[in-house]
Amino acid sequence: MYSQEQTTRGKQFRQKTPRREQAIFKLDPSRKSVKDMIEASNYDRLPDLVPIRHGRMSASPFAFYRGTAGIMAYDLHVLPHTSLKVQSVGDCHLMNFGGFATPERSLVFDVNDFDETNPAPWEWDLKRLSTSFILAALHNGMKKDTAEEMAFILARSYQKIMEIYAEMNMLDLWYMKFDLVSLRDNYKKGSVRDILDRAIVESQKKTQQQVFYKITRQVLGNFEITEQPPLVYHPYDVNSVKNEISVFWGDYLNTIQPDRRFLLDHYRVVDVALKVVGVGSVGTRCYVILLMNEKDEPLFLQVKEARESVLEAYTDKSVYQHHGQRVVEGQRLTQAASDIFLGWSTGPMGRHFYFRQLKDKKISPEVEQFNVEALAAYARLCGRVLARAHAKTGNSGVIHAYMGNNDNFSEAITSFSSDYVKQVYIDFEQFTKAIKSGKLPVQKEE
């Protein structure tokens, strides 16, 4: 049970930042143009890939939103907030949740993208996630009222479950996982049950062995990653890149547990390719490494560049000097279970990278196929998952006491998100105008 002191502190935060003020959205008069902010976010990205990033972002307002975590971080920092910090996801939209296999090989649902993670006010994650639900609902052709209902369902789910988490034994909270099979079994029939059934079946097709057959080919008796330009391609000098990776491989091994180092000692690097990933990450350096053991069993690792979090300009700088470590430690803090190969290292020119498995039973939600029933269920689930992440890394009793039990807080979050969606549409229009006028380069994918 949370304490009276936590209740008192939560109510004190209400006095500092009344819950109704969580509904406020006002644009900062000194905010730079969308074009300038996008160009600033392109700093040090691979120039040839920047037009692809713009192309992906120009697909829809929802796609644009996925690529502009930095813009929203700026907008949020000038608005009322409690200053009560958790380990924030940073880029907390509904596509950054999904299924994956735990080290015990059970299938769980959790947050799965931590490139922007950093301590920050807890409500920033909730507002970004809530806004993404309205955008997704509108993108799927739902009416405005229905879209706003999705945001309310999310916020109310977060609010209700936070009270339960505040009263839970801390060890029980840290051990708790959202098992996808158990979630599926909660639905006897209907579209949600069907979606979860398909997701579980799809996960079985994403083992390392099956991924190997899908994305590799044999050339002169050797295996190599199949090129799919401009999205998957080999660097100009593959051997040079292999040598570079071998140089920082040792530092990476020092960031994982000894038993996992022992496991990796049985593998050798066979091939390396560059891969274009995501929306916001396009243009950052991302490698796929194919490793094989003596039995010709494959292991794919993704080596992804880690840059400064978009939150750091508006919160405290990361306590970690290495941004790969920031990503890994943030992921370990917030997830219920993490990839056994998570680690970090410093690459050429001092760039920071983190390592993880590629596609190991990973499932991305097919949000564009969700009807109202499915999107509402997904909102409830994401609210529960985000609340658990915040309860693990923040003061759940104080957060619950601040929100209270009535609808005031959830209504305020919904109101904010509805207003912010309007701004996203305005920003998207300015972005596409900059593309059409030739001020921002773009490359559409076939």
Side-chain angles (χ1 to χ4, degrees):
M1 180 70 179
Y2 55 93
S3 67
Q4 181 60 45
E5 179 186 358
Q6 289 173 303
T7 300
T8 301
R9 285 185 61 201
K11 291 181 178 179
Q12 288 172 344
F13 275 109
R14 284 191 204 176
Q15 295 174 357
K16 173 182 173 290
T17 309
R19 290 170 296 179
R20 64 179 178 277
E21 290 188 3
Q22 296 284 0
I24 295 173
F25 171 63
K26 291 182 180 178
L27 206 61
D28 181 19
S30 61
R31 188 193 204 232
K32 294 180 180 179
S33 71
V34 171
K35 170 185 168 293
D36 287 347
M37 288 189 284
I38 295 295
E39 287 182 328
S41 71
N42 287 335
Y43 171 74
D44 198 37
R45 294 177 190 261
L46 293 167
D48 292 346
L49 298 184
V50 167
I52 295 176
R53 179 179 188 237
H54 295 163
R56 289 187 176 183
M57 291 170 61
S58 67
S60 67
F62 181 49
F64 171 80
Y65 182 74
R66 290 177 59 189
T68 52
I71 292 179
M72 190 169 193
Y74 177 87
D75 291 336
L76 287 169
H77 96 279
V78 300
L79 300 174
H81 58 80
T82 61
S83 300
L84 182 60
K85 293 181 180 179
V86 297
Q87 184 68 35
S88 172
V89 176
D91 188 10
C92 191
H93 61 73
L94 80 171
M95 295 299 293
N96 279 343
F97 292 68
F100 56 88
T102 69
E104 298 79 23
R105 315 316 292 152
S106 60
L107 198 62
V108 297
F109 182 87
D110 213 327
V111 187
N112 61 10
D113 189 300
F114 294 88
D115 285 6
E116 309 299 345
T117 187
N118 203 56
W122 58 276
E123 57 262 62
W124 290 7
D125 272 351
L126 186 58
K127 288 182 175 181
R128 182 154 176 79
L129 183 57
S130 174
T131 302
S132 76
F133 268 92
I134 295 180
L135 285 165
L138 294 173
H139 182 75
N140 286 6
M142 298 178 194
K143 294 181 180 179
K144 179 175 180 288
D145 288 350
T146 303
E148 291 177 353
E149 184 182 359
M150 297 301 122
F152 180 81
I153 288 171
L154 165 78
R156 197 70 178 124
S157 172
Y158 178 97
Q159 182 181 356
K160 285 183 175 180
I161 204 70
M162 187 62 79
E163 180 177 16
I164 296 173
Y165 293 159
E167 295 177 343
M168 278 182 70
N169 177 282
M170 184 170 288
L171 283 176
D172 291 340
L173 180 65
W174 278 71
Y175 286 140
M176 185 177 65
K177 297 178 177 67
F178 292 93
D179 181 84
L180 270 176
V181 174
S182 297
L183 290 170
R184 186 273 314 273
D185 291 344
N186 288 333
Y187 296 92
K188 301 304 179 186
K189 59 181 179 178
S191 60
V192 178
R193 169 85 182 207
D194 293 341
I195 288 169
L196 290 171
D197 275 335
R198 289 197 300 271
I200 292 168
V201 170
E202 185 65 25
S203 72
Q204 305 309 314
K205 301 176 183 178
K206 294 186 176 180
T207 64
Q208 293 285 326
Q209 197 71 41
Q210 288 169 315
V211 171
F212 173 72
Y213 290 126
K214 185 176 181 180
I215 71 171
T216 64
R217 63 177 184 169
Q218 196 169 16
V219 180
L220 299 176
N222 297 314
F223 292 105
E224 66 176 35
I225 298 167
T226 305
E227 291 203 348
Q228 303 173 41
L231 305 182
V232 180
Y233 60 96
H234 288 91
Y236 177 74
D237 188 343
V238 175
N239 289 329
S240 176
V241 173
K242 284 184 183 179
N243 290 334
E244 289 175 355
I245 287 175
S246 68
V247 170
F248 67 91
W249 183 259
D251 289 339
Y252 158 65
L253 292 178
N254 288 331
T255 68
I256 62 177
Q257 293 178 191
D259 61 326
R260 290 153 195 190
R261 290 201 297 271
F262 179 84
L263 173 59
L264 284 176
D265 281 344
H266 291 81
Y267 290 82
R268 69 190 188 283
V269 175
V270 172
D271 196 21
V272 179
L274 282 156
K275 180 176 173 62
V276 178
V277 293
V279 178
S281 295
V282 176
T284 59
R285 292 146 188 87
C286 180
Y287 298 95
V288 176
I289 303 178
L290 168 60
L291 302 101
M292 305 280 285
N293 63 17
E294 291 181 353
K295 298 163 68 176
D296 281 340
E297 296 166 338
L299 170 63
F300 288 96
L301 294 183
Q302 185 181 65
V303 185
K304 192 175 182 186
E305 185 177 4
R307 294 151 41 111
E308 182 177 274
S309 167
V310 297
L311 299 177
E312 290 185 66
Y314 316 113
T315 60
D316 296 331
K317 290 289 184 182
S318 173
V319 297
Y320 303 105
Q321 294 183 348
H322 196 289
H323 288 296
Q325 184 177 9
R326 172 185 58 77
V327 172
V328 169
E329 301 294 6
Q331 183 165 346
R332 288 172 176 167
L333 275 171
T334 51
Q335 281 187 329
S338 296
D339 182 357
I340 66 171
F341 294 114
L342 271 180
W344 64 90
S345 189
T346 303
M349 300 180 67
R351 290 193 172 92
H352 296 175
F353 291 86
Y354 68 95
F355 291 64
R356 64 183 179 186
Q357 283 190 82
L358 178 72
K359 293 183 179 294
D360 183 39
K361 295 193 174 183
K362 290 184 173 65
I363 307 167
S364 297
E366 298 178 353
V367 173
E368 292 188 349
Q369 307 300 320
F370 284 6
N371 59 17
V372 173
E373 177 193 10
L375 195 60
Y378 190 64
R380 292 186 188 94
L381 179 56
C382 288
R384 292 167 60 194
V385 170
L386 182 62
R388 189 212 55 212
H390 287 176
K392 286 178 65 179
T393 63
N395 196 319
S396 55
V398 176
I399 294 173
H400 165 67
Y402 173 82
M403 292 187 293
N405 292 313
N406 59 33
D407 290 346
N408 293 347
F409 174 78
S410 295
E411 288 173 351
I413 294 296
T414 304
S415 179
F416 165 85
S417 299
S418 180
D419 287 344
Y420 196 78
V421 163
K422 297 172 187 174
Q423 186 60 48
V424 172
Y425 275 84
I426 293 170
D427 290 347
F428 177 70
E429 183 179 3
Q430 293 178 2
F431 172 67
T432 53
K433 281 183 178 178
I435 288 175
K436 290 175 182 176
S437 66
K439 294 178 180 178
L440 290 173
V442 65
Q443 179 178 337
K444 296 283 189 177
E445 299 171 67
E446 295 182 0

